[in-house]
Amino acid sequence: MADPDLERVNGIALTAVQALLGLISSDVVAVAVAVEEERVLLSFWVGRHTAEIDEDIADAIGDLEAFLYPDNPLIESRVSVGMPETASRERHERMIYWAKS
């Protein structure tokens, strides 16, 4: 029997990947998603934080909200300059993008 919570998390992670298509610039190092009961957190690690990245994140959040309707979880983002560190990641965060080096 499938775990409904795991299916929800996996579905939201895949939907987040879809929402990010075409929006990941060369400045993005990695992206992760954390799914909670009523909240989705998109974490971005970037080489440099630019206005373009903020616009892309806003577009991705808008697309994700549309894809997840009528579920309507709160979708938040976090931007960190540099490389992801295990200690700084949220619990249960799933990496959904990591740039080739």
Side-chain angles (χ1 to χ4, degrees), residues 28-82:
V28 176
V29 175
V31 181
V33 62
V35 179
E36 299 171 0
E37 180 88 20
E38 297 292 328
R39 175 180 173 243
V40 174
L41 174 65
L42 294 174
S43 297
F44 294 83
W45 289 268
V46 298
R48 61 190 180 108
H49 194 159
T50 64
E52 178 189 4
I53 287 177
D54 289 336
E55 290 172 16
D56 290 346
I57 291 171
D59 289 344
I61 288 173
D63 289 348
L64 189 54
E65 287 172 341
F67 291 145
L68 294 178
Y69 182 82
D71 192 19
N72 296 326
L74 172 64
I75 301 172
E76 298 178 321
S77 64
R78 173 180 68 184
V79 179
S80 302
V81 176

Side-chain angles (χ1 to χ4, degrees), residues 7 10 14 19 21 34 46 73 86 89:
E7 285 184 12
N10 288 342
L14 288 172
L21 288 176
V46 298
T86 304
R89 290 180 31 208

